[in-house]
Amino acid sequence: MTATQLTAKSGISLIAVLMFMLAATTASIVVFRMIGSENLASGARLKMSESEAAANSGLEAVQAWLENRAPDAGVLLSDFLSNANLSGGQPKPMLIGNNILGSVGGNRGQNYQVYLIGADAGNNNIFKLKFLSIGKARDNSQSRQVGIFGVQGLYRLRVPNQICRGPFDQSFFGVAGELTDGTEFSSAIINSDVSGNMPRITENLIVTGNATFQGGTTAACSENNQGDLYIAGNLKPNGNLRVCGNAYAGSIEFDSGADGTFEKNLYIENGGTVEKGFLVNGNLTVNNGTYRVSTDADNKIDGDFAMLSNSAKLELGGNGSFTVEGT
């Protein structure tokens, strides 16, 4: 083989190698671009699925809300229909806040917004409500889904324009402690123990603790005698006590210096002691405990005398009389 032939073969081999390298480089570029395009498409499909899942979560939240919070749904429907009337029959979409429906959990940045966009009242008070749910993915891409729900038995509520409050006519309300004067109140609620010179109460007197009165005390004695006396704890007057209305006491303690006059009924929860004159123009009822009368003065009950439980007992002592005009 001559030198000329060897040179020709070497040139052909070089061209073949260069062509093979060019084909391999072209193929690698094409494959790389295909892989990049597939990654982009896969990411787009992932974010689209996230937004679709968020939108679907919004409709599921609406369904749960309609099933469990009918009064709130009724208020929303009333507002929506009212806005429709104000805008000439074309209702505006009404956003339902996430503070009502909640939000999507997790850390992917998903969320949704739900709007009420339509309502139709059918037969038998069945409403068709149309909701639009806009789901958002982490890159703020959106998907929209529409759901129509049939609901029945919603409350058509109306928020009152004026707030009405019940009457509160107590002249005094609060903690009293020890009283030193004789001021006249029409009524009082005392949220504590009270002692001292009790003011003259013309209507209701309510004491949530114990009551120890000094001197003469008059309670619930208005012109029509409409008030009552209620002592949740122990009632202990150290002077004459006159009650014109009905009276309730947790227990009573009338010592030798205290007369008691009750012009209506008297109810005692846990008994007590009476050491001086005692007059009940109505009925006397003792629920529990011992009702002890130890006095030389007269005790009289114009109505009935009842002891409600087996633990209630009556003990009489002294030389005074104990008279029941009723049964």
Side-chain angles (χ1 to χ4, degrees), residues 21-53:
M21 292 177 63
L22 177 63
T25 302
T26 303
S28 63
I29 293 173
V30 171
V31 171
F32 179 77
R33 288 187 174 181
M34 290 179 61
I35 293 175
S37 299
E38 184 63 26
N39 287 338
L40 292 175
S42 178
R45 287 193 298 269
L46 175 62
K47 294 172 183 177
M48 181 61 66
S49 65
E50 288 179 354
S51 62
E52 290 176 351

Side-chain angles (χ1 to χ4, degrees), residues 48-63:
M48 181 61 66
S49 65
E50 288 179 354
S51 62
E52 290 176 351
N56 187 58
S57 297
L59 294 180
E60 291 177 350
V62 168
Q63 182 179 5

Side-chain angles (χ1 to χ4, degrees), residues 201-205 218-222 224-230 242-248 261-267 279-283:
I201 307 297
T202 58
E203 295 182 6
N204 293 323
L205 171 60
T218 301
C221 290
S222 62
N224 298 323
N225 293 342
Q226 296 180 349
D228 296 321
L229 173 68
Y230 182 95
R242 178 181 174 224
V243 181
C244 297
N246 296 308
Y248 171 95
T261 301
F262 297 87
E263 298 187 4
K264 289 187 178 180
N265 301 315
L266 171 61
Y267 180 94
L279 174 63
V280 180
N281 290 335
N283 302 321

